[in-house]
Amino acid sequence: MLRLGHRPERDKRITTHVCLTARALGCDKVVVVERDDRVVEGVRDVVKRFGGPFDVESGVPFRPFLKDASVTKVHLTMYGLPMQQVVPHIDRSRDLLVIVGAEKVPREVYELSDFNVAVGNQPHSEVAALALFLYALRGDAAFDKVFSGQIEVQPSAKGKVVRPQEDGSGE
Amino acid sequence: MLRLGHRPERDKRITTHVCLTARALGCDKVVVVERDDRVVEGVRDVVKRFGGPFDVESGVPFRPFLKDASVTKVHLTMYGLPMQQVVPHIDRSRDLLVIVGAEKVPREVYELSDFNVAVGNQPHSEVAALALFLYALRGDAAFDKVFSGQIEVQPSAKGKVVRPQEDGSGE
């Protein structure tokens, strides 16, 4: 996943949520174009505690990603074509790069993406758009990734149950 | 939808995204427990431009909502039971209150909710959790609400196409 247009002061928490959503729904890696060490540290701390594999880095130019012909590039934007219409045309046998912008996205992102996809044509949230797109693409399988971290949450009807994993090494 | 645990400085943008996601996926109203006039103004501005009906208010005590027996109360929490397991048991003929907390949620929210629902048992984002829950509950119908605002986005493969609605009154 490629995160673009991050403004360190304003977007720290939104970009962190974007990264954690990508991780929880099975993405392998997030690249944040604009450098923000605090976001990277925060996400790596979650990976350390709750498990990986999941990579995050920031301060990486985006154009090489947009020009990589070996991956399918999906840009999420409220101006795109409806997710429901596009998803059946995405080749699941290829690697996928999902591009999530903030308020201003350069024109070339629209042009170089294979698909500009709208998760609804109403303004809402890049966090919600990413989550809904990944879920529409993969269904419940989006939640199938097994994480091996120091702690694991146990589903519970009324409380909070957290236990250390049996191999609590974090690896 | 009830938003709880909002910290005005830290959560302004996350809570705004929660509200806009609720609007885009068909909720009628959001109540933010902690008062934040800037969040309310920002969301109302989107409603004015992109359409309603959608209400938002802040600074409203949450206990009366939790004690309202006439609605089904669903609390989204990574500690809950899996969404996939709970959704089939939710009575769609009743009004629904979705409760979205921040980091600290009072114990009584767990106890008074009809369902504590986990959207995955990994930490990610209340914005993503809300979006995924509403989509799992309603499917593509979550996007069926017709908004009558001043502007409307037209789906497009490569660009941004926005037009004023024919009745551009915003009502």
Side-chain angles (χ1 to χ4, degrees):
Chain A
M1 214 220 76
L2 185 70
R3 165 66 166 167
L4 194 79
H6 168 75
R7 296 152 296 182
E9 276 317 304
R10 186 166 176 188
D11 294 330
K12 175 176 175 288
R13 297 201 64 230
I14 295 287
T15 297
T16 299
H17 282 221
V18 164
C19 293
L20 295 179
T21 298
R23 172 184 171 278
L25 281 103
C27 294
D28 298 319
K29 179 173 183 172
V30 172
V31 171
V32 181
V33 172
E34 297 77 18
R35 180 164 173 178
D36 191 328
D37 294 341
R38 289 185 308 168
V39 165
V40 169
E41 278 166 32
V43 173
R44 285 186 182 156
D45 183 57
V46 170
V47 173
K48 187 177 171 195
R49 289 183 293 135
F50 288 89
F54 184 78
D55 285 340
V56 57
E57 55 182 317
S58 77
V60 182
F62 70 89
R63 283 183 188 81
F65 289 98
L66 285 180
K67 291 179 177 170
D68 180 354
S70 74
V71 300
T72 300
K73 295 168 287 288
V74 173
H75 171 220
L76 301 181
T77 163
M78 65 183 279
Y79 301 103
L81 296 175
M83 166 174 86
Q84 294 82 351
Q85 180 180 323
V86 174
V87 161
H89 297 285
I90 295 175
D91 180 351
R92 286 123 197 275
S93 69
R94 302 183 76 215
D95 284 341
L96 184 69
L97 176 71
V98 182
I99 303 158
V100 175
E103 284 179 21
K104 299 287 179 194
V105 173
R107 179 82 211 159
E108 64 194 300
V109 174
Y110 289 85
E111 285 162 3
L112 294 171
S113 293
D114 298 299
F115 300 101
N116 289 285
V117 175
V119 180
N121 285 116
Q122 294 292 325
H124 51 93
S125 168
E126 53 265 45
V127 184
L130 175 66
L132 292 167
F133 172 74
L134 293 172
Y135 191 60
L137 186 71
R138 304 190 54 228
D140 288 336
F143 293 105
D144 282 353
K145 183 167 170 178
V146 176
F147 296 94
S148 58
Q150 293 163 354
I151 50 179
E152 187 183 345
V153 173
Q154 300 294 303
S156 164
K158 289 283 176 190
K160 295 187 184 187
V161 185
V162 178
R163 64 163 192 195
Q165 285 193 340
E166 281 162 29
D167 110 341
S169 66
E171 296 303 320
Chain B
M1 213 220 76
L2 184 71
R3 165 65 164 166
L4 194 78
H6 169 75
R7 296 151 297 181
E9 277 318 303
R10 187 167 175 186
D11 295 330
K12 174 175 176 287
R13 299 201 62 230
I14 296 288
T15 297
T16 299
H17 282 221
V18 164
C19 292
L20 295 179
T21 297
R23 172 184 170 277
L25 281 101
C27 295
D28 297 320
K29 180 171 182 173
V30 172
V31 171
V32 181
V33 172
E34 297 76 18
R35 181 166 173 175
D36 190 329
D37 295 341
R38 289 185 310 167
V39 166
V40 169
E41 279 167 29
V43 173
R44 285 186 181 158
D45 183 57
V46 170
V47 174
K48 187 176 171 193
R49 288 183 293 133
F50 288 89
F54 183 77
D55 285 339
V56 57
E57 55 182 316
S58 78
V60 182
F62 69 90
R63 284 183 186 81
F65 290 97
L66 285 180
K67 292 180 175 168
D68 180 354
S70 73
V71 300
T72 300
K73 295 168 287 287
V74 173
H75 171 219
L76 300 181
T77 163
M78 66 183 280
Y79 301 102
L81 296 175
M83 164 175 88
Q84 294 83 351
Q85 181 180 323
V86 175
V87 160
H89 298 285
I90 295 176
D91 180 351
R92 286 122 197 276
S93 69
R94 302 183 77 214
D95 284 341
L96 184 68
L97 176 71
V98 182
I99 303 158
V100 175
E103 285 177 22
K104 300 286 178 194
V105 173
R107 179 84 213 158
E108 65 194 299
V109 174
Y110 289 84
E111 284 162 4
L112 294 171
S113 293
D114 297 298
F115 301 100
N116 290 285
V117 175
V119 180
N121 285 115
Q122 294 291 325
H124 52 90
S125 168
E126 54 264 45
V127 185
L130 175 65
L132 292 166
F133 172 74
L134 292 172
Y135 191 60
L137 186 71
R138 304 189 54 226
D140 288 337
F143 293 106
D144 281 354
K145 184 168 170 178
V146 176
F147 295 94
S148 59
Q150 294 163 354
I151 51 179
E152 186 182 345
V153 173
Q154 300 294 302
S156 164
K158 289 284 176 189
K160 295 187 184 187
V161 185
V162 177
R163 66 164 192 194
Q165 285 194 340
E166 283 163 26
D167 106 341
S169 65
E171 296 302 321

